[in-house]
Amino acid sequence: MKKLIISGLIAMFCASAGATTMCATDDTLAIVLDPVIGGTSHSSNSDLFEWSATFSYGTVWGIATCVDTSGTANTAVEELRDSNGEIATGGERTGRYCWCQLAHPARSRWVFQFASSSVAGCRSHCAGGCGNNVRDGSAFRAGLFGSLGN
């Protein structure tokens, strides 16, 4: 009964319009991923295709990939494939279209970020762009955070 009451209070106080509430496994801690709340900083590693963004509530991080599949800005897809038809897992360097995925605190779908003029340009800027857009872009955060749990 106590867990039920705590869970209800967390949902009531943490959720805002458009926000995704992530709860720890013990249902006593909630992290609110609200696309309206901007971040304070971001970082990336273009060699490893990793990125992170820091918010007042903590840090989220994820992966990036460059494939041949185009998309619509800020829109999530359930499955993404590389140029060989293999399911993308992050770090692909085969195309000029940059996609981002949240890995922590939960895994999101792949969200389209941008089309580069070249594969090399995508490789250089994809991970940094993911971190920057998660920090600064409410529409991008809405696509990323909104694809959790789908």
Side-chain angles (χ1 to χ4, degrees), residues 1-13 27-28:
M1 182 67 166
K2 184 177 179 181
K3 280 188 173 185
L4 182 61
I5 292 170
I6 291 172
S7 295
L9 290 172
I10 288 170
M12 185 172 64
F13 290 113
D27 292 327
T28 61

Side-chain angles (χ1 to χ4, degrees), residues 71-77 99-100 109-113 139-140 143-144 147:
T72 303
N74 310 321
T75 302
V77 297
W99 294 79
C100 311
R109 293 183 177 188
W110 288 102
V111 175
F112 184 72
Q113 185 189 181
F140 189 77
L144 201 65
S147 73

Side-chain angles (χ1 to χ4, degrees), residues 60-85:
V60 300
W61 60 84
I63 55 177
T65 196
C66 292
V67 295
D68 290 328
T69 304
S70 182
T72 303
N74 310 321
T75 302
V77 297
E78 184 151 354
E79 189 175 272
L80 188 61
R81 295 192 177 266
D82 66 14
S83 60
N84 297 321

